[in-house]
Structures are given as structure tokens and as C-alpha cells.
Amino acid sequence: MIDVKNLWKNYGNKVVLEGINVSVKEGEFITLVGASGCGKSTFLKLLLGTETASKGSLLLDGKPIKGEPDSDRGIVFQQYSVFPHMTVLENVIAAKGFAEKGITGLLWGRKRKEAKAAAERMLDKVGLSSSSHLYPHHLSGGMRQRLAIAQALMGKPRILLLDEPFGALDPGIRKDMHALVLDLWRSEKLTVFMVTHDLHEGFYLGTRLWVFDKLRHDPQAPDAFGAGITFDLPVGQTDPKHLETIEENMKEFSHD
Ligand SMILES: Nc1ncnc2c1ncn2[C@@H]1O[C@H](COP(=O)(O)OP(=O)(O)OP(=O)(O)O)[C@@H](O)[C@H]1O
Ligand SMILES: [Mg+2]
């Protein structure tokens, strides 16, 4: 589904990602870990299409990813990205409008009725049915992320990009969110890329774990080299002893 070939990304003189070669099959659940600032969010933005590669290519179904977001891909960020002046239901309907019509996406008449019904079904899926009339400031952090996920899924994406979506949540709530994401991954047949700072989360949720890190480092020129994927592991039922190896390596390689 996705083919990354010799991908490089730099901002000015700073090399962020270098020489990434990797392929992803439809239905995989990839978790991404790595030191802060190593380029995980940048990689997601390249998949989303809000950033473009400096060199190399990113192919989706054999074609270059367009330099703009598309309803093929939905994204959820750590920071809440909902509209504060709209209720939960209105937020999800608006997301449908944007997915269909872009930024001027207001829906009217029959279209709006259909969008409302679809939004209600989506709120049911993410467990927010009874909160559809509330405004975002009345929601807990976990509920707000449920809403953000509902919005991301309204465009019926094949690929869901999650950038530390649960980083700000309590452990108990996180567990509920893990169950939700696994459930949606299966029922909506998604391909998921999820950045996390929590290695255990990466191991537990993913079918495949990527560690982003620099392969080479020059203390005199910290911007000269970017990160690549230094570990690419099948996970899920992974032998826990891998975890220790990776934790050791992450310590060793974190230069910041
Ligand atoms: N638009 C931009 N312009 C210039 N530099 C940028 C831009 N976006 C990101 N960077 C730089 O690229 C590097 C990688 O950033 P990125 O946000 O991808 O890291 P990250 O791995 O997601 O970090 P974190 O775990 O802290 O979220 C950082 O050094 C950052 O400052
Ligand atoms: Mg980031």
C-alpha cells in the first residue's frame, strides 16, 4: 500500500530524516517511537501530505502522495483539535462537510441529514452518543480524543495517523482508548500509524514497531545527519526480551 523510497527531509540546513526505505501493507498497525525531535511527526506529516519530501518518494498505491491532505488519510493530534463553539454532534457533521467539500464544507438539506445520521453512527462507535449535545469544554480529555477520532474517521480514511493521541490522558483512560483504537482498526479495516512516547503502548498496540534514530552523529554538527528507522520489528506477541534490548539502545542513541 505504501512504499517509501530513499526518503529525505530537511528544513533548511537541518537534516531531519535520511534515507528511509520501507514498505507497508494494507491493514498493518505501525507504532513509531524515538527520541523527541527525531522526526516522527514530520514523517506523519509527509504521509498526510502537509509536508513534502526533500528527496526520494512516498508512494500510496504506487502513486506519489499528493501535497495536500486527502480523505484517504485522517489524523488525530495530541492537542485537541476540535471546534470549541460547536457541539460534539456539530463537530462531527462539520468534519464530514470538510471531508466532502474542503474548507468551505457546509452541508445543506438532504446532504446534511445524511451527514447527521452518519455522525450519530460514528459517535455511537466511539462511545459518545450520550454526549452529542455537549460542547468540547464540557468533555474530559479522553472524551475529546474520542471526538477527534470520530472526526478523523468521518472522511472514511483508509489510513489513520495518530500523533501521540493519548499522551495527555490518565493510564486508566488510556486503556479504554487502546481498546477503542484496536476495535476501530479492525472494524473499519484501517492501516494505522501511531506515534507514542510509551514503548509498552507501542508493543501492545502495534503489529509492527519502528524505532526512529540517527544512524550517525557528529557532535560538531548536530544538524548534519537525520534519523532513519533503526529497528523494524514485528510486535503483538513479541518476546519481552526485545523490549530490554530496545530500551538499552534507545538510551544509548538518545543524544539530546
Ligand atoms: N516546519 C518546520 N520548520 C523547521 N523545522 C522544523 C519544522 N517542523 C519540524 N522541525 C524540526 O524538525 C525536527 C523534527 O521534528 P518533529 O516534530 O518531527 O519531531 P518528533 O520526533 O515528532 O518530536 P516529539 O517527540 O517531540 O514530538 C525538530 O528538530 C524540529 O524542530
Ligand atoms: Mg512529534
Side-chain angles (χ1 to χ4, degrees):
M1 183 190 212
I2 292 167
D3 260 311
V4 181
K5 291 180 187 157
N6 192 29
L7 175 78
W8 291 67
K9 177 69 187 173
N10 50 275
Y11 290 109
N13 290 331
K14 186 184 173 73
V15 182
V16 177
L17 298 172
E18 66 172 66
I20 296 182
N21 286 291
V22 78
S23 296
V24 175
K25 290 197 195 78
E26 183 136 34
E28 290 196 72
F29 191 134
I30 314 250
T31 49
L32 295 77
V33 300
S36 181
C38 73
K40 303 176 299 295
S41 296
T42 302
F43 188 81
L44 287 198
K45 288 176 198 161
L46 288 161
L47 286 174
L48 184 64
T50 54
E51 288 288 353
T52 51
S54 307
K55 208 163 83 182
S57 64
L58 255 147
L59 305 179
L60 172 58
D61 302 325
K63 283 173 247 140
I65 287 184
K66 280 181 249 150
E68 61 192 58
D70 182 286
S71 62
D72 248 354
R73 279 104 55 206
I75 190 157
V76 177
F77 299 100
Q78 176 174 11
Q79 312 84 347
Y80 310 123
S81 50
V82 298
F83 304 113
H85 60 291
M86 292 183 187
T87 66
V88 165
L89 180 62
E90 286 162 356
N91 260 285
V92 181
I93 295 172
K96 179 87 180 160
F98 293 142
E100 286 184 5
K101 300 173 110 189
I103 196 76
T104 57
L106 289 178
L107 299 171
W108 303 100
R110 185 174 57 85
K111 279 262 173 211
R112 175 152 180 107
K113 245 189 197 156
E114 283 168 8
K116 181 166 180 266
E120 280 165 347
R121 284 195 299 276
M122 186 56 72
L123 286 174
D124 191 38
K125 276 188 200 161
V126 302
L128 279 183
S129 282
S130 57
S131 310
S132 63
H133 60 290
L134 297 178
Y135 285 88
H137 65 269
H138 289 135
L139 304 178
S140 68
M143 289 161 90
R144 259 183 260 187
Q145 287 310 67
R146 282 174 193 270
L147 172 54
I149 291 170
Q151 286 183 303
L153 293 179
M154 280 309 277
K156 297 199 191 312
R158 298 157 66 206
I159 301 168
L160 181 63
L161 306 169
L162 302 167
D163 198 348
E164 296 192 56
F166 313 136
L169 305 178
D170 293 339
I173 305 293
R174 269 174 171 234
K175 262 177 103 178
D176 295 344
M177 300 302 286
H178 291 164
L180 173 66
V181 165
L182 287 175
D183 187 38
L184 292 170
W185 169 57
R186 291 190 192 103
S187 66
E188 310 296 304
K189 302 192 168 35
L190 298 165
T191 303
V192 178
F193 292 84
M194 174 170 164
V195 175
T196 175
H197 263 123
D198 178 347
L199 205 51
H200 293 87
E201 187 172 81
F203 268 82
Y204 166 72
L205 282 181
T207 57
R208 186 172 173 188
L209 175 102
W210 290 349
V211 179
F212 278 69
D213 202 350
K214 289 188 186 197
L215 283 164
R216 40 192 190 152
H217 185 67
D218 178 355
Q220 305 304 317
D223 290 349
F225 302 114
I229 297 172
T230 54
F231 285 85
D232 180 350
L233 296 173
V235 288
Q237 304 95 36
T238 308
D239 189 332
K241 71 172 182 276
H242 280 315
L243 198 64
E244 281 167 38
T245 316
I246 290 179
E247 271 172 346
E248 274 309 304
N249 277 289
M250 284 181 72
K251 259 184 249 152
E252 214 171 285
F253 281 101
S254 67
H255 315 284
D256 297 323

